[in-house]
Amino acid sequence: MTEAIQAEPMPAAVRAARFIMTLDVAFGLVGIGVMIIVGAVAFSPAYVLLLLYVVSTTALMGWLISRWQSRKKAVRWGAVALELVLSGGGLVVKAVDGDLRWTALLGLVLPLAVVVLLLTPAAGRWFDR
């Protein structure tokens, strides 16, 4: 007979990071829908680049979430890198728009929270198996 091996449960920090990333994907899909509708009216090359950025980061984030249970180091570091790109990209978009007030920068809190959560020792142990 085979024995059941008790797997280490996912730490709270990793669960919270996955939940935030899932919310990011959901809001990203809604944003893509809105951008497509608006893009039919206000079409420009810069708008297409912005749409491409949103679609690619949302798709990559969804793919990382689907690979989460593999517990590979590459998934953890890929998520950290992607969230840093998202926060950096958000900062660039805010700077181009000239909207660098602290209230406008609150949208960068969630990607940075995911980075902090994934850099905790508990997350490192869980992804290292």
Side-chain angles (χ1 to χ4, degrees):
M1 251 181 141
T2 60
E3 285 186 38
I5 298 173
Q6 186 66 23
E8 180 184 353
M10 189 182 303
V14 177
R15 275 195 314 263
R18 185 179 65 176
F19 177 74
I20 292 170
M21 287 178 68
T22 304
L23 285 177
D24 280 346
V25 168
F27 288 131
L29 291 173
V30 170
I32 289 169
V34 170
M35 288 180 76
I36 288 173
I37 292 169
V38 171
V41 175
F43 186 79
S44 70
Y47 192 80
V48 172
L49 287 175
L50 182 62
L51 181 63
L52 182 63
Y53 169 76
V54 173
V55 168
S56 62
T57 55
T58 302
L60 186 56
M61 195 177 313
W63 181 78
L64 283 170
I65 291 171
S66 73
R67 303 289 302 152
W68 206 262
Q69 291 299 328
S70 71
R71 296 173 64 170
K72 291 183 179 180
K73 289 180 186 180
V75 173
R76 175 186 180 208
W77 292 113
V80 168
L82 178 64
E83 294 295 334
L84 286 173
V85 165
L86 285 173
S87 60
L91 187 62
V92 167
V93 168
K94 300 276 187 219
V96 168
D97 287 343
D99 191 21
L100 287 176
R101 296 170 299 152
W102 70 273
T103 55
L105 297 177
L106 285 178
L108 304 178
V109 171
L110 286 180
L112 293 176
V114 171
V115 169
V116 169
L117 289 170
L118 289 178
L119 292 179
T120 60
R125 282 191 303 271
W126 190 79
F127 276 104
D128 286 345
R129 292 189 224 211

